[in-house]
Amino acid sequence: MHCKSPLISIIVPVYKAESTLNKCADSLLNQTYSNIEVVLVDDGSPDNSPLICDEITKLDNRVKTIHIPNGGVSNARNIGMQNAVGDYLCFVDSDDYVDANYIQNFVDGLTESADLVFQGINEVKDNGDIIKKVPDYGIYCEDNVLEGISDINKYSMFGYVCNKLYRCSIIKEHNITFRTDINISEDRIFALQYMAYVKEMRTINKSAYFYIMQTTGLTLRQRSYEEIKTAADENLRVAKELLKNRCSDRFSRDTKRMYIMSATGYLIALFKLKYSYMQRYRAIDQFQKEYVQWLSFYTPVSTDQKVLYELLKHSPSICVIFMQAYFALKNIRHGKFA
């Protein structure tokens, strides 16, 4: 156990959350661990969220609200970090909620030397079903923290922002921020940047965060080739930086697997959206020259991925021609002629 009761800052970006904000805030203010500050960052929300933030702030002196012009969730989190005064911090989204032991779970995992604590996550589906993802209990010291990331990756939850407790001094000393120009996997990029300074990481085999699965809006919009590739390339760059100073064959394999999984996304986007033949050719050609040898690290799941995998065995021109034909037929089958 940690030898004191550290102050935990909880950063909550708020945008168009008038229907969920009260439930979220209530779940935070009813924590069994009470030494917290809740930082509500109103990201220029056009609904009643700013007023709700102010009302919540009046009711509990552990809450402070910051109103900023709309700049996106990453900017809001960065502003929240700048204004956090806790010893440690975590992130909660305003459309989610937590159970009463969320912060206590983190504190239970703290020691004087722990720089990062993980817990699990509960994914809440539209129909109310809950999928619990809970890591095994673990302690990872400096030489094997990359093994810890791989252990967490087994449960597909390293990339979540809400299941980690960070040491504030590391974030501020090294000016670690969320990339405001990337809106895919920016949480994972932030975590990987932070991992460069972690000397001890702990995982707790509990899950107290309820993550509402989004079925509309930005999360379902077909992202462009450029958006997906920029995020994938930055994830890869940060992971490679970690591998310069710490050795882990397993993390290296996981990094390649994650990149190829993302690469299938950006290559398929070339054919789902309107790109020219030459744009598609150049992108396929570049991928084959740089990454085709990594294909074995990822097993394709969807039909689109399986078709792409087969065609990547051939020249860029053949790949493009047959992928174009495949998606043309697919669109006709689904009544899309654009």
Side-chain angles (χ1 to χ4, degrees), residues 58-70:
K58 291 176 185 177
L59 295 174
D60 196 309
N61 61 12
R62 296 175 298 171
V63 183
K64 61 183 175 185
T65 292
I66 303 165
H67 298 286
I68 61 173
N70 179 246

Side-chain angles (χ1 to χ4, degrees), residues 68-254:
I68 61 173
N70 179 246
V73 66
S74 290
N75 180 65
R77 287 175 181 152
N78 289 339
I79 296 295
M81 288 191 293
Q82 291 170 14
N83 287 273
V85 297
D87 302 294
Y88 300 86
L89 64 80
C90 60
F91 300 93
V92 170
D93 287 341
S94 57
D95 48 357
D96 299 332
Y97 61 96
V98 299
D99 78 16
N101 293 316
Y102 174 63
I103 297 299
Q104 186 63 57
N105 289 349
F106 283 135
V107 174
D108 287 346
L110 278 177
T111 64
E112 291 290 350
S113 55
D115 296 318
L116 187 66
V117 181
F118 274 86
Q119 65 175 293
I121 192 166
N122 306 311
E123 295 178 343
V124 184
K125 293 188 172 183
D126 273 349
N127 61 5
D129 288 348
I130 296 175
I131 300 173
K132 295 178 72 72
K133 294 184 174 182
V134 184
D136 294 329
Y137 177 80
I139 301 173
Y140 304 90
C141 296
E142 188 168 8
D143 290 340
N144 68 342
V145 292
L146 296 188
E147 291 294 309
I149 297 177
S150 291
D151 282 347
I152 293 161
N153 273 334
K154 291 189 302 185
Y155 305 94
S156 299
M157 60 181 180
F158 179 78
Y160 285 103
V161 70
C162 51
N163 59 348
K164 307 174 188 69
L165 185 72
Y166 296 93
R167 190 186 291 271
C168 282
S169 59
I170 290 178
I171 290 172
K172 294 183 177 182
E173 179 182 351
H174 299 284
N175 193 30
I176 304 170
T177 59
F178 287 88
R179 287 279 299 265
T180 57
D181 59 331
I182 294 176
N183 57 20
I184 306 171
S185 297
E186 68 275 17
D187 306 343
R188 189 172 190 276
I189 294 168
F190 177 86
L192 288 174
Q193 289 176 317
Y194 182 89
M195 292 302 298
Y197 309 101
V198 171
K199 294 183 178 177
E200 182 181 303
M201 179 178 83
R202 294 190 169 225
T203 56
I204 303 302
N205 58 340
K206 297 178 181 178
S207 61
Y209 191 101
F210 292 85
Y211 176 79
I212 308 301
M213 303 292 285
Q214 299 290 335
T215 57
T216 59
L218 186 64
T219 53
L220 287 190
R221 174 178 66 82
Q222 173 60 55
R223 307 300 186 96
S224 70
Y225 166 83
E226 292 81 6
E227 285 179 289
I228 305 171
K229 189 174 188 302
T230 297
D233 288 348
E234 182 61 11
N235 265 284
L236 180 60
R237 184 193 68 78
V238 178
K240 284 182 173 180
E241 286 295 316
L242 283 176
L243 286 165
K244 286 181 180 179
N245 299 311
R246 297 175 180 178
C247 295
S248 171
D249 290 340
R250 189 169 163 221
F251 179 74
S252 178
R253 291 193 301 270
D254 282 348

